[in-house]
Amino acid sequence: MAKSHLFFFILLVVFFFCCFSYIESSKYDQEELQWLDDKDDEISMVQSRHSSLRTCDFAKGKWVYDQTYPLYDATCPYLSTAVTCRKNGRPDSNYEKWKWKPHGCSIPRFDALDFLGRMRRKRIMLVGDSIMRNQWESLVCLVQSVVPTARKTVIYNGPTMAFLALDYEMSIEFSWAPLLVELRKGPDSKRILHLDSIEENAKYWRGVDVLVFDSAHWWTHSDKWSSWDFVMEGNNIYKNINPTVAYEKGLTTWAKWIDLNLDPRRTRVFFRSMSPRHNRENGWKCHNQKEPLEYFSRPHVPEQLLVLQKVLRRMEFPVYIQDITTMSALRRDGHPSIYARASGEKNNQQLKDHDSDCSHWCLPGVPDTWNEILNAML
């Protein structure tokens, strides 16, 4: 009988030890996943996956004039000349004062100290083309004013640049990879797009806590402009390939790399939708536009976005789409137009018909809203 009691006592001790271990393990797992907020199983990657965003579709809304904007001064030292429109001679400034208001909810106003606190000891990297650099400059300018001059710096490493807030041990980085996959020079300096090679770009993405990708504009192909001369896949080389087919193949290579190399408990991944252009074949010239459109009767969904959604549905890694296309398409007034370089008004007027940048964005301006939304999603 004593042996029986002893056996049950030992069994009880083992049971409580296992329960305690399980509780501690579960607590640890919950703490690890709390920042990642992986509450849903579906990988449809829309903003509604976050509990705080479930009732808010940031993509649908309207622009409202707000005198309390912009969120930082146009003299921010991290802005490129091409986006400092007022400094370059643009006479109006109302484009800086429009705030995006989603239907039925609101976007929290960007708080630099709160953002830095939440990103402490973390790396956030924006990956893509010059419009993603546009967004990087916006994000840096949103936070830099609260960081003492002696405690911030920018460093460069190959195709990357990083703003460091030293007291927070955090960085806001940009990595140049407009096609995500590799574009290399071949014989006779021909540009060869390698649809199944990505590591030369992707090696910079390792160890990052928040990755924001963008890739669309460089895939646009026309008779007058293209990013490559030949396309290579495996041992096959092509002179002509459907750009949409190439885009899906390139995104699939990117998706496979994400699935194989990143841990969703360590890294959050966003893909920002295509930034619209207000000239070329499908729009209007942006020169002298001074206010947003109110709405579109028939909003256009870019083919690249449909391809992106298709690729993301095949992934195991949860990737969140940040849809900024329609809201930005309403902002025909937000581009540098002829004010992408410093010159007199007379010279600018002479340039307006043949040299107008309707792709990038003046800063302060539209990309600040993209970053306010990104901040809310984080």
Side-chain angles (χ1 to χ4, degrees):
M1 185 71 177
K3 288 183 179 179
S4 175
H5 284 160
L6 180 61
F7 171 77
F8 280 111
F9 176 74
I10 292 172
L11 190 64
L12 194 63
V13 169
V14 170
F15 173 76
F16 276 109
F17 177 78
C18 291
C19 287
F20 179 77
S21 299
Y22 173 77
I23 292 169
E24 284 298 304
S25 175
S26 299
K27 181 181 177 184
Y28 173 78
D29 290 341
Q30 288 170 4
E31 289 173 352
E32 281 289 289
L33 293 172
Q34 185 176 15
W35 185 66
L36 298 164
D37 198 17
D38 287 342
K39 294 182 179 178
D40 293 342
D41 293 326
E42 182 152 0
I43 311 176
S44 59
M45 299 79 52
V46 292
Q47 293 97 319
S48 59
R49 289 193 56 176
H50 296 277
S51 59
S52 61
L53 312 179
R54 285 198 174 108
T55 59
C56 187
D57 182 355
F58 289 144
K60 297 178 181 178
K62 64 180 181 179
W63 291 98
V64 295
Y65 191 80
D66 190 332
Q67 284 280 9
T68 67
Y69 278 65
L71 297 169
Y72 57 87
D73 195 88
T75 59
C76 172
Y78 300 98
L79 295 178
S80 301
T81 300
V83 300
T84 55
C85 301
R86 277 205 287 155
K87 186 178 178 182
N88 292 342
R90 180 166 176 168
D92 63 305
S93 60
N94 282 350
Y95 64 88
E96 298 178 351
K97 297 183 179 296
W98 293 94
K99 177 178 72 174
W100 181 250
K101 185 174 183 351
H103 296 315
C105 57
S106 60
I107 302 169
R109 189 180 178 90
F110 192 92
D111 183 323
L113 288 174
D114 174 70
F115 177 83
L116 287 168
R118 285 186 289 111
M119 294 296 108
R120 185 184 295 275
R121 298 187 185 89
K122 290 183 171 63
R123 297 173 61 196
I124 178 169
M125 178 180 282
L126 283 61
V127 182
D129 57 18
S130 57
I131 297 176
M132 187 59 93
R133 160 96 185 241
N134 214 173
Q135 185 176 353
W136 176 81
E137 291 182 9
S138 161
L139 186 55
V140 170
C141 287
L142 282 166
V143 304
Q144 67 88 26
S145 64
V146 301
V147 182
T149 302
R151 306 302 298 160
K152 59 189 173 189
T153 188
V154 173
I155 60 174
Y156 301 87
N157 176 28
T160 72
M161 58 183 69
F163 170 85
L164 307 181
L166 301 178
D167 291 333
Y168 293 87
E169 301 175 61
M170 66 85 66
S171 62
I172 302 170
E173 305 174 40
F174 168 70
S175 180
W176 173 259
L179 295 157
L180 301 181
V181 293
E182 296 174 25
L183 183 66
R184 305 176 194 161
K185 278 195 175 181
D188 300 323
S189 295
K190 295 296 184 182
R191 300 163 302 165
I192 302 175
L193 178 63
H194 293 258
L195 292 176
D196 48 9
S197 297
I198 198 170
E199 186 58 35
E200 277 303 305
N201 294 328
K203 65 185 180 183
Y204 296 101
W205 311 339
R206 299 178 189 275
V208 177
D209 299 282
V210 179
L211 281 162
V212 185
F213 291 94
D214 150 64
S215 187
H217 285 289
W218 279 51
W219 295 92
T220 304
H221 224 60
S222 69
D223 293 335
K224 296 181 180 179
W225 189 89
S226 67
S227 303
W228 60 80
D229 300 302
F230 296 98
V231 171
M232 195 163 185
E233 185 180 25
N235 295 321
N236 300 315
I237 190 162
Y238 308 97
K239 174 63 177 173
N240 297 309
I241 186 171
N242 184 310
T244 303
V245 172
Y247 184 55
E248 182 172 347
K249 288 178 179 291
L251 279 185
T252 300
T253 297
W254 166 84
K256 288 178 179 177
W257 188 92
I258 296 291
D259 276 339
L260 289 172
N261 292 278
L262 298 184
D263 182 349
R265 294 171 298 177
R266 169 76 171 84
T267 304
R268 290 182 67 182
V269 177
F270 299 85
F271 206 111
R272 199 204 69 214
S273 67
M274 183 179 188
S275 172
R277 291 174 287 194
H278 289 105
N279 58 358
R280 302 215 175 189
E281 298 84 11
N282 61 344
W284 49 82
K285 295 286 184 181
C286 61
H287 175 66
N288 214 27
Q289 301 293 335
K290 291 187 169 59
E291 59 183 32
L293 294 171
E294 290 188 17
Y295 62 91
F296 288 118
S297 56
R298 292 183 179 179
H300 172 67
V301 179
E303 190 172 16
Q304 288 98 329
L305 181 56
L306 299 177
V307 172
L308 173 64
Q309 291 170 333
K310 178 181 177 182
V311 171
L312 295 186
R313 279 193 290 269
R314 298 197 295 255
M315 294 180 66
E316 296 180 5
F317 194 103
V319 177
Y320 305 87
I321 291 180
Q322 184 188 5
D323 186 358
I324 56 87
T325 303
T326 301
M327 70 173 71
S328 305
L330 295 170
R331 292 302 307 276
R332 57 185 182 176
D333 60 311
H335 300 287
S337 179
I338 59 174
Y339 304 103
R341 62 173 62 87
S343 59
E345 179 66 19
K346 182 177 180 180
N347 290 336
N348 277 332
Q349 292 297 337
Q350 293 171 351
L351 288 169
K352 70 178 182 180
D353 292 328
H354 57 84
D355 190 6
S356 178
D357 182 355
C358 297
S359 297
H360 300 92
W361 301 91
C362 295
L363 291 178
V366 173
D368 303 331
T369 295
W370 303 348
N371 285 322
E372 282 196 292
I373 294 172
L374 177 64
N375 179 49
M377 294 178 75
L378 286 170

